[in-house]
Amino acid sequence: MNQSALETKLDDVAKAVGSVLDDVLGSHQLVAGTPHRLLNAMRHGVLNGGKRLRPFLVVEAAKLFGADARSALQIGAALECIHSYSLIHDDLPAMDDDDLRRGQPTVHKAYDEATAILAGDALLTLGFGMVGAMESLAPQIRVKLVAMLAKRAGAPGMVGGQMLDVATPTHRQSELEITRMQAMKTGALIAFACEAGAVVADAPDEDRKRLRRFGEICGLAFQLADDLLDETGDATSLGKATGKDQARGKQTLSALHGRDWAVQRLDALVGEAEEVLAPYGDKAATLLEAMRFVAWRQR
């Protein structure tokens, strides 16, 4: 599969996820009971484009085991709510203090800080509600997904990683310390996305573990590529500010070891991902192409 074919698939899933989220945020139950300003801020934070990589990974991982595509898409949309909440909060002045996200003003800039905090809170709870309400999945599958998501999005996962990020010590961190922080902050939700596809399909534990490992590798590559883009990219093509890590003294693996090391490490991670998914043969071709896209992307 060439990159243009993959980007077409990514775009198709992104549009489908956007449609699901638009329907949910336009539902009578939500519209009737939600303050107008809060609902608009939620829409601003989650319906603002983006590659929708995490939902794409859920859909493709589920497809690997013949699961219902519609159920996987719904889980992906719920995950995107939680991912978007994390971005809204991450952009706040107390966190990364960003003015631009996906080429648009961040939620606290478009509205205000209090509204941004509450919009993030609302999207977080909405995501869990969407998983719990999915009647197309057996109750035990829904419970399993909710428990997994709580762990990956919470203190042992993404939120814990954010805490390590904002509390970065002034001393030079080791590769292990940086990797742990990034695996929690960025990798946890990507690992969930891949494992969730197997769970939706009620795949055996061995397959779940294999997909989780693939997601962990993909998460490491995503963050390392992101760090490189922060150093070398431009705000117009990325849709967000660049050069932030260096300006704030943040420690990254690319800064620790240099650009050449980072490029070689990305190639090695792609090789690891290929080994993990080798048992699935050609059926895993799209997932592997997504991994290469993550590692070698230019925006």
Side-chain angles (χ1 to χ4, degrees), residues 207-263:
D207 291 311
R208 280 184 55 186
K209 290 176 183 177
R210 193 175 291 280
L211 268 293
R212 184 194 314 149
R213 180 57 189 150
F214 170 76
E216 290 169 350
I217 296 167
C218 191
L220 290 172
F222 185 96
Q223 186 60 59
L224 185 53
D226 209 49
D227 292 340
L228 277 176
L229 288 171
D230 184 72
E231 295 174 10
T232 62
D234 65 272
T236 300
S237 62
L238 294 177
K240 60 181 181 180
T242 57
K244 299 177 298 178
D245 292 340
Q246 184 176 4
R248 293 168 186 163
K250 281 194 175 184
Q251 299 175 60
T252 65
L253 292 178
S254 59
L256 182 67
H257 292 296
R259 187 180 185 280
D260 290 345
W261 176 93
V263 171

Side-chain angles (χ1 to χ4, degrees), residues 25 30 34-48 81 84-85 87-89 91-92 101-102 104-124 126:
L25 291 168
L30 199 62
T34 307
H36 187 67
R37 182 176 178 82
L38 176 60
L39 187 59
N40 283 344
M42 292 167 66
R43 295 179 67 88
H44 184 91
V46 77
L47 295 176
N48 58 351
C81 285
S84 295
Y85 120 76
L87 298 181
I88 293 171
H89 283 191
D91 289 335
L92 288 166
R101 172 68 66 180
R102 294 170 177 168
Q104 299 180 37
T106 49
V107 177
H108 73 275
K109 284 295 181 182
Y111 293 86
D112 55 70
E113 288 183 38
T115 302
I117 292 169
L118 294 171
D121 293 344
L123 286 170
L124 169 62
L126 177 62

Side-chain angles (χ1 to χ4, degrees), residues 124-166:
L124 169 62
T125 50
L126 177 62
F128 279 101
M130 288 171 65
V131 177
M134 282 188 60
E135 295 183 357
S136 61
L137 292 177
Q140 65 268 26
I141 298 294
R142 281 181 266 165
V143 169
K144 190 176 292 186
L145 287 167
V146 167
M148 281 172 50
L149 188 51
K151 180 179 179 180
R152 298 291 182 177
M158 181 188 69
V159 173
Q162 289 176 316
M163 183 73 252
L164 292 175
D165 191 28
V166 300

Side-chain angles (χ1 to χ4, degrees), residues 65-83:
F65 304 103
D68 175 56
R70 183 65 182 174
S71 295
L73 188 65
Q74 292 282 338
I75 296 297
L79 178 58
E80 194 67 11
C81 285
I82 293 173
H83 174 55

